[in-house]
């Protein structure tokens, strides 16, 4: 679900570029901002929330009470009054009884589903693989909906909605798949509409790097930040940007194709058909091809974790390849930093498995490649192991839509 409204014919039409917030939207917008403040600060009293959002405690009380009545928030730990006679305050946090969100991670060869509580806890996980000779969208949808069914029926509560993170290109206005490489039968599939029809709840669909960003925004290292980027590395490369407090998607979700920015004029041919894309020098495919050429053991299954292990063992050629891989990854990160200045970049995917040592190598190269202004602090960080982060992010997409977060 994106930024389109439906007209009477049911067709999506873009919102006017300068539409104002209607009075009917102000209430939900404030509620969204308050919940976002709660995610940023952790369990908080009404007074803390009033201070943080710059409104009166009365206003906070008016927003909070319906959320308590709907069992979205709950009063928790009691804070003793500072002086005798004061009224004790309680800390507010997300209720364990609130309806969970069903999160779905859809890749070209498999699907993962789980429930995510409003405070980010993951449970009721299920997996399913697509058949190797997958050729029909209906067949893929049967596997996908069966996996979701097993997850949502494992609890008595209904779910708040379904959030889907897709490892491919998405049209966020129509909720359909534009392209899922290696599973072409799903190209053009209206996944959002089909899931909504089957399960009767709101469905939000976006590409996986943006889901990772949303997950980091609420549950991870992006908390409380107004600007940051998420970069995914591995089989493919992807980026998602959070700029001035908003997720930037580009028209109908077309942004984020950093893997196909050109870093080597007349370089190797990319799978997109052009030459010298960042993907030709910084994916696992490049790493494995290079490992084969350089004679490293078991090149076909090489990743950051094993490359570091080989380098630390002193295996011939491993250290050089490690340095080259870290340098190649840092090139794309530096280009991103120069253009948009996110100033905080959270890395997901393969490099996370390389841990702190991998991060240090990338960071050292990155710093040599960027030009910063005096006083600007630019940091790189590692995200969580990818599946957990992507599933939380998929759930976050639903929160964003239903609770009107300022995304
Ligand atoms: Zn390309």
């Amino acid at each position: 679900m994106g930024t389109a409204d439906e007209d009477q014919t049911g067709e999506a039409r873009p919102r006017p570029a300068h539409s104002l917030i209607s009075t009917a939207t102000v209430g939900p917008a404030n509620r969204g901002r308050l919940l976002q403040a709660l995610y940023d600060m952790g369990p908080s009293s009404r007074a803390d929330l009033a201070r943080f959002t710059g409104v009166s405690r009365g206003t906070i009380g008016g927003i909070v009470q319906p959320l308590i009545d709907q069992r979205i928030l709950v009063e928790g730990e009691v804070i003793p009054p500072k002086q005798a006679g004061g009224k004790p305050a309680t800390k507010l946090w997300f209720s364990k009884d609130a309806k969970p969100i069903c999160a779905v991670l859809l890749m070209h060869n498999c699907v993962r589903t789980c429930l995510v509580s409003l405070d980010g806890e993951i449970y009721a996980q299920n997996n399913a693989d697509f058949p190797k000779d997958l050729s029909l969208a209906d067949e893929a949808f049967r596997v996908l909906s069966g996996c979701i069914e097993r997850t949502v029926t494992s609890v008595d509560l209904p779910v708040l909605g379904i959030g889907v993170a897709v490892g491919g290109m998405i049209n966020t206005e129509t909720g359909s798949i534009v392209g899922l490489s290696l599973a072409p039968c799903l190209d053009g599939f209206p996944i959002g509409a089909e899931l909504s029809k089957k399960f009767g709840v709101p469905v939000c669909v976006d590409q996986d790097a943006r889901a990772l960003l949303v997950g980091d925004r609420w549950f991870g290292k992006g908390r409380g930040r107004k600007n940051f980027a998420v970069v995914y590395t591995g089989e493919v490369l992807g980026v998602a940007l959070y700029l001035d407090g908003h997720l930037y998607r580009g028209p109908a979700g077309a942004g984020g194709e950093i893997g196909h920015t050109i870093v080597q004029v007349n370089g190797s041919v990319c799978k997109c058909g052009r030459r010298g894309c960042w993907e030709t020098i910084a994916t696992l495919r490049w790493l494995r091809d290079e490992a084969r050429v350089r004679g490293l053991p078991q090149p076909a299954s090489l990743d950051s974790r094993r490359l570091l292990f080989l380098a630390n063992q002193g295996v011939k050629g491993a250290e050089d390849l490690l340095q080259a891989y870290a340098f190649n990854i840092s090139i794309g990160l530096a280009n991103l930093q120069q253009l948009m200045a996110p100033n905080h970049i959270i890395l997901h995917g393969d490099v996370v498995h390389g841990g702190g040592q991998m991060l240090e190598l990338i960071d050292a190269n990155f710093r040599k490649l960027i030009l910063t202004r005096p006083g600007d602090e630019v940091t790189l960080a590692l995200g969580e192991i990818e599946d957990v982060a992507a599933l939380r992010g998929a759930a976050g997409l639903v929160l964003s839509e239903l609770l009107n977060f300022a995304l």
Side-chain angles (χ1 to χ4, degrees):
M1 295 192 194
T3 53
D5 292 332
E6 292 205 339
D7 65 19
Q8 282 158 354
T9 63
E11 279 178 85
R13 65 180 162 79
R15 277 179 198 152
H18 302 288
S19 60
L20 297 179
I21 296 181
S22 72
T23 31
T25 329
V26 171
N30 275 338
R31 185 177 57 176
R33 279 173 197 179
L34 180 125
L35 291 178
Q36 200 163 5
L38 201 52
Y39 276 118
D40 292 348
M41 295 195 300
S44 312
S45 68
R46 289 170 178 78
D48 292 337
L49 287 167
R51 249 193 316 275
F52 191 78
T53 55
V55 297
S56 73
R57 280 182 68 167
T59 305
I60 294 291
I63 303 171
V64 159
Q65 197 52 49
L67 292 168
I68 292 175
D69 296 342
Q70 291 163 42
R71 298 202 302 182
I72 288 175
L73 296 183
V74 68
E75 311 244 14
E77 184 193 335
V78 176
I79 312 160
K82 286 203 181 80
Q83 295 139 346
K87 209 173 138 198
T90 54
K91 287 196 173 182
L92 295 162
W93 191 235
F94 294 91
S95 167
K96 293 270 175 229
D97 300 332
K99 288 180 190 174
I101 294 164
C102 178
V104 179
L105 183 57
L106 173 64
M107 309 307 283
H108 68 89
N109 57 351
C110 65
V111 53
R112 293 197 55 180
T113 58
C114 71
L115 295 177
V116 182
S117 69
L118 290 189
D119 60 354
E121 195 193 320
I122 285 179
Y123 58 105
Q125 297 197 49
N126 277 287
N127 305 304
D129 289 335
F130 290 129
K132 289 233 164 3
D133 55 349
L134 184 72
S135 58
L136 297 169
D138 285 356
E139 201 182 349
F141 188 70
R142 230 183 352 263
V143 174
L144 168 68
S145 54
C147 197
I148 294 175
E149 187 99 50
R150 287 198 295 283
T151 283
V152 297
T153 52
S154 63
V155 288
D156 291 335
L157 282 172
V159 296
L160 206 54
I162 300 173
V164 189
V166 182
M169 288 168 80
I170 294 299
N171 182 320
T172 50
E173 288 195 0
T174 59
S176 54
I177 295 172
V178 174
L180 194 60
S181 56
L182 305 178
C185 68
L186 284 170
D187 290 2
F189 187 71
I191 184 172
E194 290 296 324
L195 286 176
S196 178
K197 197 159 73 186
K198 175 147 182 87
F199 292 97
V201 291
V203 177
C204 301
V205 185
D206 213 329
Q207 50 119 280
D208 53 355
R210 286 196 288 260
L212 287 169
L213 182 138
V214 171
D216 280 342
R217 174 69 190 85
W218 286 320
F219 308 116
K221 290 179 177 164
R223 269 189 194 188
R225 290 184 181 273
K226 283 198 82 173
N227 290 286
F228 71 98
V230 158
V231 173
Y232 179 88
T233 73
E235 308 279 354
V236 293
L237 303 169
V239 67
L241 285 165
Y242 194 72
L243 300 172
D244 294 331
H246 295 275
L247 172 60
Y248 181 74
R249 288 188 168 90
E257 295 296 323
I258 197 172
H260 301 286
T261 53
I262 292 167
V263 295
Q264 270 188 338
V265 175
N266 300 323
S268 312
V269 177
C270 180
K271 66 176 196 271
C272 72
R274 298 172 312 140
R275 285 183 177 274
C277 295
W278 190 32
E279 282 204 7
T280 63
I281 62 158
T283 54
L284 283 174
R285 187 174 155 192
W286 175 85
L287 182 71
R288 290 165 183 172
D289 286 348
E290 278 296 307
R292 197 170 295 115
V293 171
R294 297 177 190 218
L296 270 86
Q298 296 169 293
S301 61
L302 192 64
D303 60 10
S304 281
R305 191 200 315 255
R306 201 159 61 79
L307 180 58
L308 268 166
F309 175 79
L310 296 177
N312 292 338
Q313 295 287 308
V315 172
K316 191 170 170 288
E319 178 64 28
D320 285 352
L321 181 56
L322 176 63
Q323 293 292 345
Y325 186 44
F327 175 73
N328 288 358
I329 288 173
S330 71
I331 289 175
L333 302 180
N335 287 342
L336 171 67
Q337 173 59 30
Q338 293 309 128
L339 188 63
M340 303 306 291
N343 287 2
H344 185 66
I345 303 177
I346 304 171
L347 305 176
H348 282 273
D350 175 59
V351 295
V352 177
H353 300 287
Q357 203 183 338
M358 190 75 205
L359 180 66
E360 265 175 46
L361 283 171
I362 295 170
D363 194 82
N365 284 293
F366 171 73
R367 284 190 196 282
K368 285 184 214 147
L369 295 172
I370 57 167
L371 203 61
T372 51
R373 295 180 308 185
D376 278 0
E377 200 200 335
V378 182
T379 49
L380 298 182
L382 292 180
E384 287 175 279
I385 296 298
E386 58 196 284
D387 280 356
V388 172
L391 286 165
R392 282 188 174 151
L397 296 170
V398 176
L399 277 181
S400 149
E401 195 70 24
L402 294 186
L403 301 176
N404 266 298
F405 279 85
L407 267 178

